[in-house]
Structures are given as structure tokens and as C-alpha cells.
Amino acid sequence: RCAGCRYSRVAVIMDKITKSILQKHEEYVTYFVWLAGWASIFGSLYFSEIKGFIPCELCWWQRLLIYPLAIFATVAIIRKEYKNFAYYVLPFSVVGLIVSGYHSLLQWGIIEHNLLDCSEGAAVSCSNPEIMVFGFITIPFLAFLAFGSITLVSSLSLYLSAKQTKK
């Protein structure tokens, strides 16, 4: 067998995989949001109900923004309605990305003044991290990663949809 033949077969296989992803990207995004949403729900409930961490005000806002995404994705999967799903997801994920990013910067000490002023007189301070792994991974940073990945994947899906529409 020739070496070029092997590479052409790999190229054909990769082309088929790419075409499959492009054809079903909206469905894949819905499943990704479903997985990230439910992982976030169970993660937040683990920290609050099992570990006993009381959520601060910013944590509640992040929960308010991530919980509906899991429900929206579940309904979309049951109904097999994947088209334009990203349009419903992006408002929640972008706002969640901003809130969790702000909360992370607050806990890392980069931002010193909390706009919500929940540090003083509140049951739980927004600026004190309950956990810190490797010196930077906090619960709000985990939320930032979830919101960021959902925003990125949803934006990419909208881009691919627009590109396919132009063809």
C-alpha cells in the first residue's frame, strides 16, 4: 500500500466527520448546554446541600441564570427542537459570564469594591472564596467556565448557521 492512499482515506473520514458535525451542530449544542447546565445544577447543590456552603448573593444570581438553561435544553431535546436554540441560550449565558467573571475577580482580590455591597452585613461574603484550588479555581470561576463554554459553543453554532444560510 502506498502512504498517500492512507492519508487520503484519513482525509475522507475527517471530511465525513466534519460534514456530520456541521449538519447537526445545533443538536450538539443543545446536548452540550444540557450537560453543562445539569452539571452546574448538581455541582451547586452539592456545595450548598452536602458541603454546607451558604451561597452568597452573586452565587444566587449565577444559579438564577444557569438553572433555566438545563430546563430549556431538556425541553428542546424532548421535543427535538434544536433549530435556533442558541438564541434562547445566549442572553442567559452572556449575563452569567459577566456575573461569574465579576465574582471571580472580586474573590481573587482584583476588584476590591463589590457593587452589590453584599460583603458587609450579609450572612455570607461574596468576596471570600469557600474553596480555592491551585490558587485561582473558585466556585464562581467554575461557573465562569460553564457560562463561557456555553457562550462560545452557542456563538459558534449561530455563526455556522449563518454561514450555511448564505450558501
Side-chain angles (χ1 to χ4, degrees), residues 25-42:
H25 69 273
E26 290 173 325
E27 182 178 347
Y28 296 147
V29 166
T30 308
Y31 280 101
F32 179 80
V33 171
W34 179 85
L35 181 65
W38 283 106
S40 297
I41 287 174
F42 288 123

Side-chain angles (χ1 to χ4, degrees), residues 32 36 97 143-155:
F32 179 80
L97 186 65
F144 179 80
L145 293 176
F147 283 121
S149 61
I150 290 169
T151 300
L152 180 68
V153 168
S154 298
S155 299

Side-chain angles (χ1 to χ4, degrees), residues 25-99:
H25 69 273
E26 290 173 325
E27 182 178 347
Y28 296 147
V29 166
T30 308
Y31 280 101
F32 179 80
V33 171
W34 179 85
L35 181 65
W38 283 106
S40 297
I41 287 174
F42 288 123
S44 70
L45 292 175
Y46 168 77
F47 284 126
S48 64
E49 301 303 316
I50 295 173
K51 296 293 275 183
F53 300 157
I54 300 170
C56 69
E57 190 171 340
L58 287 171
C59 290
W60 280 113
W61 280 104
Q62 291 164 71
R63 286 179 176 201
L64 178 74
L65 293 164
I66 197 78
Y67 284 20
L69 294 181
I71 305 300
F72 293 163
T74 301
V75 171
I77 290 168
I78 290 169
R79 295 181 53 92
K80 297 187 185 331
E81 293 180 2
Y82 311 115
K83 188 136 179 80
N84 298 322
F85 179 71
Y87 285 110
Y88 304 106
V89 168
L90 276 172
F92 288 89
S93 67
V94 169
V95 174
L97 186 65
I98 293 167
V99 172

Side-chain angles (χ1 to χ4, degrees), residues 1-18:
R1 295 185 179 196
C2 66
C5 297
R6 186 175 356 167
Y7 292 120
S8 65
R9 287 185 188 142
V10 171
V12 168
I13 292 170
M14 291 303 294
D15 187 51
K16 286 181 181 179
I17 292 171
T18 304

